[in-house]
Every structure is written in C-alpha cells, then in structure tokens.
C-alpha cells in the first residue's frame, strides 16, 4: 500500500478532526475497542464471583491484568517506535479477539473455569501496553501537530464515554439476556475495532529505528523524557494529581455510606456524576482546542480540579456534592487531555511510542496513591483525607510552576513546534501564525 503523507490539521471547530476519513476510522476503532473493554470489566467480575463465590477472586482479576500492564508498558513503547503501528495495533486486537472468543466458547459449552478468566485477563494485560502507545502515536501521523489538541480531546471524550456507558450497558445486558450475550457483544465490538483499524493507512517507524537494540531504545526513551525540560516538567506535573487527588474515587463508597448515608444508590449517582464530568471535560477541550494559551488552560483546570475536590470533601450535603464531583471530573479530564496534547505536540515521532508508554505507566500510579490516601481516611476520616490531598495538590502544582522556567514558557515552546511543522508544508509563508497555515482555507486531502 502506498504511504499517504500526514495531511495538515483541518480548520477549527470542536469536531474538526472528524473531517479526516482516516481519523474517523481510527476513532470508530477506538470507540468499539473501549466499549468492549469497559463492558468486560463488569462481566469478568460477575463471572469471577459466580465461579468462585470469593471476594478475593475479584482482587485477583484486577491484579493479574494490572501487573503485566505496569511491567510491559515500557517495552510496548519501544516496539511501537520500531514497527509499523497499524500492524501492531491490528495484531494486538486479533490476539484479544481470539482470547475473548475462547472464553465465550468455554462459557457457552459450560466448561469455563476461574483460571481461564485469569489467563484471558493476563493476555489483555500483556497486549494492552503494545496497543495503546501505538494508538496514541498514530494520531500524529493522521492529523499532524496542528490537529493534536482537537484529536486528543475527541479521543479522550470517547474513552470517557465508554468508561461511563460501557459498564452500564453491560449490566443491562446481563440483567436482560445473561452473561453470554455480553461476551457475544464484546467479541463483536473487538472484531469491529479490528476491521475499522484495517482502513487506517500504514504508519511506518522512523528511519533506522529497527536496527537499534531494545534496551538501548528503552533507555533512550527514558533519557529523552528526563532530559527534555518541557516534557519532563509536564510529566512531573501530570503525576501530582494522579498520586494525590485521583485516588478520591476509591473513597466515594465511604462518602456515600458514612458521610451522607445514601447507600449503594447514592454511590451509583456519585459515580455517574463523576463519569459524566469526565466526558464533558474532554469535549470542552475539543471546543477550545484552537486556543494558543495552553498553560493557562492546563493550570486553571488543575487548580480548579483540586479546589472542587476540596469543596466536595467538606460538603455537608449529598445534593451539593453531586455538582461538585461533576465539576471536579470536568476539570480533571480537561487537565489530563491538555497535558497529553502538549506532550504529543512537543515530542518527535521517533520517541512518540516510548513517551506515550511512560504516560500509560503514570496512570498506573493511581492505585499506589490510593494506599496513603486510604490510610489517612482510616485515621482521620475520608473528608479530611481528601481535603488534605486537595490542598497538597494545589501547593505542589504551584511549586512546580514556580520552579520550572520551561513550564512557564510552554506556550512559546508549543508555538515553535507548530511553526516548525508548518514550515515543512508546501505553501508556507514566513511570518504566518501557526494557527493559520497556508492550507487553513482548504479541505483536508482525505476529508469526505
């Protein structure tokens, strides 16, 4: 297949990236994949408990998928930088289809055992770290740096929608038709994700990437992330809320039961409000993706997230807590999307997969942060623990901003990166602003 050069970013608008046929196929593949994956989290828990009758089995299911994701992620980034990305994604998705189909057949035949589930989630834990860096990296080859903000916001919005709606739909299907039909739907969605990805153009690695040793590539990615001041500052800033503030979600059950006494129903409403906030935050960034003032957006959403969480923690009323947790997740999602976008814009293509794998590893830190926050909650109560975590998040974020000159100059750094990409395109004229390149008035080459 002929290689198609990355088209320039489309003109503005909250759904600008969807004008690219290639991005539409990628987006459809992502939606199908994440709806299947999030729905499977529910059905696996149901099956694990029904097969064993043990609460420990639920923890083992999560442990077996989490450990390989954390260990394999750096190598997934190396592989994503060394091979053709579409083929890597499709291979990983084919493995997942085969794994889930095997579980489905065993379930239909009445032969499914708990160890089969453990094997399936282990396969997912080993496969996911290869798929995700490649999925993130391939976006840049479709929309270019100019379109990254909009494309990343739409991708995050779709992922958050799947995170909220997928488990709900899975639960409804279990209640109405049974577990088998959830697996049937999940396998179908994984297959749709595979065939949608088949329509995306190939994204080959950087020249010479395949000839370098794996360990050298792994260390090279770490050295790049540690040695590039803007990227290093963004990674450090992104870790602060993940370690300190995000673990509040594990304490929602305590707030529901012991603080506001609203029980399981209230917990479900809290989780729904948080999930809807995540969706709203992603699409809010999509609507504002053309703004060049990313530092202000990033810092204001981070501080607003911690501030909303602080107010949530001290709220004496459940009905007041609902809009506060919604707002907190709006700001958290907007912050995460903005940080991811800035990193994607700044990094060169030859290290994109490895840096994205580091971002994946940081998200695995949330369970680690849950331990000290939970210990504080045990000693002083959930409201005090979340309040302290929120205040420390604000203080550390402001300290990182004050200490990092590269972070304070991030808007200028991003503008230079966009200008460099624009200059490499035909028709560029010196002095043209990065947000309005020569192609801005024309439709994308593959739009339709």
């Amino acid at each position: 297949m002929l290689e198609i050069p990355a088209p320039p970013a489309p003109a503005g608008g909250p759904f600008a990236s969807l004008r690219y046929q290639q991005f539409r196929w990628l987006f459809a593949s992502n939606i199908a994949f994440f709806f299947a994956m999030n729905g499977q989290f529910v059905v696996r828990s149901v099956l694990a408990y029904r097969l064993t009758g043990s609460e420990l089995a639920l923890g083992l299911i999560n442990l077996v998928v989490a450990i390989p994701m954390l260990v394999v992620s750096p190598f997934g980034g190396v592989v994503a930088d060394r091979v053709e990305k579409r083929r890597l994604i499709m291979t990983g998705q084919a493995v997942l289809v085969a794994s889930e189909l095997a579980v489905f057949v065993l379930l239909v035949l009445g032969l499914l055992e708990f160890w089969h589930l453990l094997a399936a989630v282990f396969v997912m834990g080993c496969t996911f770290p290869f798929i995700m860096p490649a999925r993130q990296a391939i976006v840049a080859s479709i929309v270019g740096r100019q379109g990254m903000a909009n494309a990343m916001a739409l991708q995050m919005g779709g992922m958050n929608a799947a995170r909220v709606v997928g488990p709900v739909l899975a639960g409804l299907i279990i209640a109405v038709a049974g577990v088998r039909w959830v697996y049937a739907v999940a396998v179908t969605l994984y297959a749709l994700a595979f065939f949608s990805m088949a329509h995306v153009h190939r994204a080959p690695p950087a020249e010479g990437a395949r000839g370098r040793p794996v360990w050298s590539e792994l260390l090279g990615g770490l050295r790049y992330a540690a040695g590039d001041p803007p990227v290093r500052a963004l990674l450090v800033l992104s870790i602060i809320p993940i370690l300190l503030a995000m673990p509040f979600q594990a304490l929602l059950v305590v707030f529901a039961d012991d603080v506001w006494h609203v029980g399981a129903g209230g917990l479900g409403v809290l989780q729904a409000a948080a999930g809807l906030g995540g969706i709203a935050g992603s699409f809010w960034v999509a609507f504002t993706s053309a703004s060049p003032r990313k530092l202000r957006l990033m810092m204001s959403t981070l501080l607003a997230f911690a501030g909303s969480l602080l107010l949530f923690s001290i709220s004496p009323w459940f009905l007041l807590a609902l809009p506060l947790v919604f707002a907190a997740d709006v700001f958290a999602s907007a912050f995460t999307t903005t940080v991811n976008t800035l990193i994607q814009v700044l990094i060169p293509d030859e290290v994109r997969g490895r840096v994205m794998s580091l971002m994946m590893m940081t998200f695995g830190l949330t369970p680690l942060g849950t331990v000290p926050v939970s210990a504080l909650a045990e000693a002083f109560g959930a409201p005090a623990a979340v309040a302290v975590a929120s205040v420390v998040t604000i203080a550390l974020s402001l300290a990182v901003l004050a200490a990092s000159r590269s972070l304070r100059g991030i808007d200028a750094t991003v503008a230079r990166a966009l200008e460099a990409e624009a200059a490499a395109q035909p028709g560029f004229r010196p002095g043209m602003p990065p947000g309005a390149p020569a192609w801005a008035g024309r439709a994308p080459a593959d739009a339709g």
Side-chain angles (χ1 to χ4, degrees):
M1 183 184 292
L2 291 176
E3 300 301 336
I4 307 297
F15 304 103
S17 298
L18 292 176
R19 294 175 61 200
Y20 292 139
Q21 185 183 63
Q22 291 293 293
F23 184 78
R24 291 199 299 271
W25 282 116
L26 178 64
F27 187 74
S29 177
N30 288 342
I31 290 294
F33 179 84
F34 285 109
F35 263 87
M37 186 185 73
N38 283 282
Q40 289 299 83
F41 286 150
V42 174
V43 73
R44 284 196 193 98
S45 296
V46 171
L47 279 175
Y49 192 70
R50 288 181 179 178
L51 289 170
T52 65
S54 168
E55 290 83 355
L56 179 61
L58 305 178
L60 287 175
I61 284 286
N62 290 308
L63 183 66
V64 169
V65 74
I67 290 177
M69 282 182 65
L70 191 62
V71 173
V72 176
S73 285
F75 299 96
V78 172
V79 173
D81 285 334
R82 292 167 64 93
V83 304
E84 196 274 304
K85 295 173 182 59
R86 187 194 66 166
R87 182 184 303 169
L88 176 61
I89 296 168
M90 293 181 66
T91 301
Q93 291 184 162
V95 170
L96 288 179
V97 170
S99 173
E100 296 301 316
L101 187 59
V103 173
F104 176 61
V105 170
L106 290 170
L107 181 62
V108 170
L109 296 177
L111 301 175
L112 185 67
E113 298 180 17
F114 179 58
W115 73 267
H116 295 138
L117 288 180
L118 292 179
V121 296
F122 181 77
V123 169
M124 166 166 272
C126 292
T127 306
F128 195 73
F130 292 94
I131 293 177
M132 282 309 296
R135 277 188 183 277
Q136 298 288 349
I138 206 171
V139 175
S141 68
I142 295 175
V143 303
R145 283 181 170 83
Q146 297 280 350
M148 283 303 302
N150 183 261
M152 291 296 294
L154 290 177
Q155 286 218 124
M156 289 294 293
M159 289 170 61
N160 282 324
R163 178 171 61 90
V164 176
V165 180
V168 174
L169 291 179
L172 289 175
I173 294 173
I174 291 173
V176 173
V179 171
R180 294 180 181 180
W181 279 100
V182 180
Y183 258 95
V185 171
V187 170
T188 303
L189 287 174
Y190 278 132
L192 286 174
F194 177 88
F195 288 113
S196 295
M197 184 58 64
H199 289 82
V200 177
H201 292 142
R202 298 174 70 246
E207 189 174 348
R210 298 179 182 177
R212 296 188 287 264
V214 172
W215 280 106
S216 174
E217 289 288 271
L218 180 60
L219 294 175
L222 293 173
R223 281 196 297 268
Y224 171 82
D228 186 278
V231 173
R232 182 179 64 232
L234 289 169
L235 286 172
V236 170
L237 191 67
S238 69
I239 289 173
I240 293 173
I242 288 174
L243 272 176
L244 295 172
M246 294 296 187
F248 89 94
Q249 297 174 2
L251 297 178
L252 286 180
V253 62
V254 182
F255 280 94
D257 286 348
D258 299 338
V259 177
W260 299 306
H261 308 290
V262 291
L267 174 61
V269 174
L270 279 172
Q271 291 174 327
L276 292 173
I279 298 172
S282 298
F283 286 111
W284 172 38
V285 175
F287 274 87
T288 60
S289 59
S291 172
R293 305 182 71 173
K294 301 300 184 187
L295 175 64
R296 184 175 68 174
L297 177 62
M298 180 177 65
M299 292 306 303
S300 63
T301 51
L302 175 55
L303 297 177
F305 164 51
S308 301
L309 197 58
L310 175 61
L311 295 175
F312 167 83
S313 69
I314 62 176
S315 171
W317 304 296
F318 175 68
L319 292 180
L320 177 60
L322 289 178
L324 289 172
V325 77
F326 174 84
D329 273 81
V330 167
F331 295 126
S333 178
F335 167 75
T336 302
T337 304
T338 304
V339 168
N340 281 339
T341 299
L342 290 174
I343 292 175
Q344 283 269 36
V345 168
L346 293 175
I347 57 179
D349 289 338
E350 56 266 24
V351 297
R352 193 174 298 280
R354 281 167 285 173
V355 175
M356 288 299 99
S357 69
L358 291 177
M359 291 294 294
M360 277 190 61
M361 290 183 68
T362 63
F363 287 111
L365 294 175
T366 299
L368 185 63
T370 302
V371 176
V373 173
S374 299
L376 277 175
E378 179 76 18
F380 304 104
V386 174
V388 169
S390 302
V391 171
V392 175
T393 297
I394 293 172
L396 287 180
S397 301
L398 292 175
V400 170
L401 177 64
S404 175
R405 181 179 302 175
S406 62
L407 190 59
R408 297 196 301 274
I410 199 73
D411 287 339
T413 306
V414 168
R416 287 193 295 271
L418 296 177
E419 180 80 14
E421 182 188 62
Q425 298 292 335
F428 175 77
R429 298 188 303 275
M432 186 178 291
W439 56 76
R442 302 202 299 270
D446 67 340

